[in-house]
Amino acid sequence: MTDVTLTINGEERSASVPPETSLLRLLRDEFFLTGSKLGCDVGDCGACTVIVDGLPVNACLMLAGQVDGRDVVTIEGLATLEDLHPIQKAFEEFASLQCGFCGPGVIISAKGLLDRNPDPTKEEIKDALSGNLCRCTGYTKMIEAVQDAARILRGEKEAA
Amino acid sequence: MKKRGKGMGCMWYPIGFTVMANPSAATVKVNEDGTATLITGTVETGQGSLTVLGQIAAEELGISTDDVHVVSADTDATPMDTGAIASRTTYVTGNAIQLAAEKAKNILFDVAAPMLGVRPDQLEAKDRRIQVKGFPQSCLPIGEVAAHAQNGAGTPALGSASYNPPTVAMDPETGQGKPFSTYVYATQIAEVEVDEETGEVEVLRIAAAHDCGTAINPMLVEGQIQGGISMGVGMAIQEEMLFDDEGRQINPNLTNYIMPTSLDMPDLEVDIVENFDPTGPFGAKGVGEPTAVATSAAICNAIYDAVGARIYNLPATAEKVLAAIKSKDHSDRQKYLPAG
Amino acid sequence: MTDDVKVADKTDSLTDLKETDEDLRLPSVVEPAHFPVETIDTEARHQTPAVGQRATRPDGRLHGLGQTKYIDDITFPNMLFAKMKRAGISSALIKSVDTSEAEAMPGVAAVLTGREIPVNSYGPSYQDQPVLADERVFHAGDPVAAVAAVTEQIAEEACERIKVEYEPLEPVYDPVEAMKDEIRVHPPHSNIYATKRIKKGDLEKGFAEADRIFEGVYSTQMIEHVPLEPHASIAQWDPNGRVTLWSSLGRITLGRADIARTLDMPINKIRIVGTIVGGNFGGKNEITTEPALALLSRKTGRPVKMVYTREEEFIASTTRHPFIMEYKTGVTNDGMITARKVRLVLDGGAYCSWSETTLGKACILSAGPYNIENLLAEAYCMYTNKTMTGAMRGFGAPQVCFAYESQMDEIAHKLGIDPLELRMKNAFHEGSASPTGQVLQSVVVKDSLEKAAERFGWKEDGQ
Ligand code: FES
Ligand code: FES
């Protein structure tokens, strides 16, 4: 068994799991944070994207042991009791998600981008989302929503 | 050299099944405060159908989308539905819902008529009110009528109904018949850039004009069109399941089975063609599947326009396009027969 | 039974427990909620009239918050996990299935083979597909046994220890080859399992009226739906002999009837709860693992979950039919279509699934949205020893559209007519008769052509 202690969405959490456990399984099976999805388990689809120490990664490709002592943000860590995160709000307003299965991963990738680059071009947004497969939407409304959320986060637009 | 070209694809598509009947049933209950619950056996598979179906119920009752809560997809509790298939939900399930909501509404009219001193057929449901047609100032809040229906008159406002598209069986020899109730139509036009040296195709933009009858929720219709086009792009230039000599798949994973990512998507310009189908709920037909139909033809025709290479076999991978360019004027594979 | 545990030991273990508790360093503050509890809605949801509003989706909010519960996000106490053993051979007789080693593994709760299934066949039009192959394998993705175990890994290892003895049979993969019926996929039945024919007007007369005749052969590939959420189900058998299935199935009413048939049970003993489906596109329109999971749950008295791996999604779910399409079209020099002859050959894979509907729709639509007086369309669907083909967004329409629109383009170029104009000349109008003789209403082909052309700027840059 591997002992891990990490910060998830600002809370320190510990678990003891078999050494082959991925970060994704750790989140889903040990901590019941099922927002991160399993779409392929081999790093192809991005449904499992979470932020580790500020950077988006595929949680299915990381071992639980590798995140010991690190900081993880999952989709569950974005909203507050008062409000949705601006990206989540924009995704809702633009109907950017259809079946929604890719959504948590896409939104986390978008957050990873906007945290580093508050004013991305359309090409930069496409680039940031290129590791997140979506079969339903054609990505168009996602890109529009990320642009809108960026405007709100930069303070150029009032949140609805 | 990279060359640009444009091409179009035009299509028609039926709403619903063939071969067998495809009914749907629904129940609409109006609560005492004028909000409503819709009960349907369909399943939300991503397209937003529950929202659209709620809008249909709301429209019939003269209330808002948010006033309708939708309960779905439990065989113990929800009525029969043929399911989320064949672009039939808005049209078939939607028609059943409109009929069910109308029954509930008629109960409200029966209750409201004596309260307003008119006949039930003089009433309409609008803006959360039951009002007299042509004299809207004579009205009652729908909640008041619904409460009175339940607690005063003792006739709670609810309705159940079913719908099956009227069809005529096809003659087995000639296929003549009316296999579907109605059809939708669409055109997509693509602009591509083809690299003559590598055969690589980039789809730059697609203009799509789709008919869906009345767009119950234009935002969700746009989403369907954009998503359908992405599948069409995959079919046109990327996706293919491959088998080895022993019938086993070679690429059963998303590493080697290539489908569109955000980087592969062209700029999309989507139009909804205004239309009204008298047989659909509030004129609506459907939109799910037709969006993926015309894309590959439009893209391949644009490839021809760009480099004169005709693709007869999908997907138009770089190797195939390059081979078609090399065997110059591939279109000579076209055979011309003398007339007659 | 002797109880030789000493009281002192018990105290020890309690101390242990306490220590573990401290080790876990349980958070002293309650974890924050993952979502806002206030309702913050867009205007459009509250406006009347409701139709035409760009109303947002309540489920859309849950998707964005990661709060939507797909099957894999649902857990029950004591739940088991199932896996299926896949054949890996495309055509064979099953001589024997030895599950003893798998059954003996610690952590394995039950193993199921095809012979234990009351009615081991299903399918939306023909019941030609086994829940678990028992006598014969029809394609490499066929399941031959299922295992329920306490973890997915154990279930998977147990599958590896199931020994199946096969007698290989000669396979057929090419639909044109299959058409000859020399090697039969489902003997004694012909490989040609569905046909469709539409005949209108006088084909010979139509071709005689043409100035030019165009011929072409087009083909398309096999495509997977790739829903981001793989197929998933949970079965729970209850003490009253009812079974509840949480399933990613898109059509629960008909799915319930299929399950009742395979389990030989009254319909009212089966409940299907359709959860939010993570993408369907036609691929989740038939039952798959549900009957096997129900029986595993009955065997074990525990809930059983199974989620397809991405690979299973490819090899064991339905796909889009590959088509071979022969088109012959007669046109006048000014671009009017006088006759069209279409022949479609569909690779129908190992099982019928929704092939009949696909064949029918493809055949009806194959002439395109054009007025064609003289028409013959014939379509055939063939069994092959490949992954089954079924319903996929468009039921054959994208395939035939690729063919008829490619040929329209060829005709336009060869006749020197603008592709837009050629289509405008031949397009359906209100009241046109379809290939099946149906009078069409609310027809807006020309409007869609004009609108798309205008938006694109078709006429602006010239040819
Ligand atoms: S599940 Fe991690 S990338 Fe697909
Ligand atoms: S919304 Fe379904 S996969 Fe993206």
Side-chain angles (χ1 to χ4, degrees), chain C residues 74-131:
Chain C
I74 299 170
T75 318
F76 293 108
N78 283 323
M79 192 168 75
L80 298 169
F81 299 87
K83 285 279 175 194
M84 284 183 175
K85 166 119 185 145
R86 304 273 162 201
I89 180 169
S90 63
S91 181
L93 293 176
I94 298 175
K95 305 301 286 178
S96 65
V97 183
D98 178 1
T99 59
S100 52
E101 216 180 295
E103 266 161 298
M105 272 177 69
V108 170
V111 180
L112 186 78
T113 61
R115 288 171 210 273
E116 298 171 70
I117 294 164
V119 180
N120 191 14
S121 67
Y122 70 96
S125 27
Y126 303 146
Q127 285 73 46
D128 56 359
Q129 181 165 5
V131 177

Side-chain angles (χ1 to χ4, degrees), chain C residues 180-195:
Chain C
K180 295 180 195 154
D181 254 345
E182 281 159 11
I183 302 163
R184 297 197 175 198
V185 176
H186 290 270
H189 305 290
S190 165
N191 287 333
I192 307 174
Y193 65 89
T195 59

Side-chain angles (χ1 to χ4, degrees), chain A residues 125-151:
Chain A
I125 296 171
K126 280 189 170 187
D127 225 48
L129 301 187
S130 65
N132 295 89
L133 294 179
C134 173
R135 193 53 153 173
C136 300
T137 66
Y139 309 98
T140 313
K141 288 190 186 293
M142 293 177 176
I143 296 164
E144 287 167 5
V146 176
Q147 286 172 321
D148 192 69
R151 275 193 293 274

Side-chain angles (χ1 to χ4, degrees), chain B residues 177-317:
Chain B
K178 187 185 173 194
F180 304 102
S181 185
T182 192
Y183 297 78
V184 296
Y185 308 90
T187 302
Q188 293 183 6
I189 304 182
E191 183 175 15
V192 302
E193 189 168 78
V194 186
D195 186 325
E196 281 190 303
E197 266 100 74
T198 63
E200 224 155 291
V201 176
E202 194 189 342
V203 187
L204 301 173
R205 66 188 177 109
I206 290 181
H210 278 256
D211 157 39
C212 59
T214 301
I216 303 282
N217 186 328
M219 180 163 68
L220 301 186
V221 170
E222 289 160 15
Q224 284 299 300
I225 298 172
Q226 292 159 346
I229 290 175
S230 80
M231 276 197 165
V233 169
M235 177 176 178
I237 60 176
Q238 295 178 313
E239 299 179 33
E240 182 166 26
M241 297 171 73
L242 299 165
F243 289 83
D244 68 12
D245 292 345
E246 283 166 15
R248 283 187 287 257
Q249 286 180 30
I250 295 170
N251 56 345
N253 53 63
L254 295 169
T255 317
N256 298 312
Y257 181 92
I258 310 297
M259 61 169 265
T261 69
S262 52
L263 295 173
D264 302 305
M265 279 306 289
D267 287 335
L268 303 182
E269 298 160 280
V270 168
D271 280 301
I272 299 169
V273 179
E274 233 171 277
N275 199 359
F276 184 95
D277 191 292
T279 66
F282 304 105
K285 296 195 274 191
V287 74
E289 299 171 283
T291 56
V293 171
T295 318
S296 57
I299 290 172
C300 289
N301 290 341
I303 294 173
Y304 178 83
D305 186 47
V307 292
R310 177 67 64 194
I311 300 300
Y312 288 93
N313 178 280
L314 290 182
T317 55

Side-chain angles (χ1 to χ4, degrees), chain A residues 24 37-49 58-61 131:
Chain A
L24 180 61
K37 305 299 175 198
L38 191 154
C40 69
D41 221 8
V42 292
D44 286 332
C45 74
C48 62
T49 310
N58 288 331
C60 68
L61 290 183

Side-chain angles (χ1 to χ4, degrees), chain A residues 18 31 33 71 107 124-125:
Chain A
F31 300 129
L33 293 168
D71 184 78
I107 289 172
E124 286 168 331
I125 296 171

Side-chain angles (χ1 to χ4, degrees), chain C residues 4-20:
Chain C
D4 48 19
V5 179
K6 293 189 191 107
V7 178
D9 288 348
K10 283 187 178 165
T11 323
D12 272 0
S13 66
L14 281 179
T15 322
D16 275 359
L17 265 181
K18 202 172 160 204
E19 271 166 20
T20 323

Side-chain angles (χ1 to χ4, degrees), chain B residues 114-127:
Chain B
M115 295 165 86
L116 291 166
V118 294
R119 293 191 317 274
D121 64 8
Q122 284 175 274
L123 295 171
E124 62 183 1
K126 221 177 159 184
D127 301 329

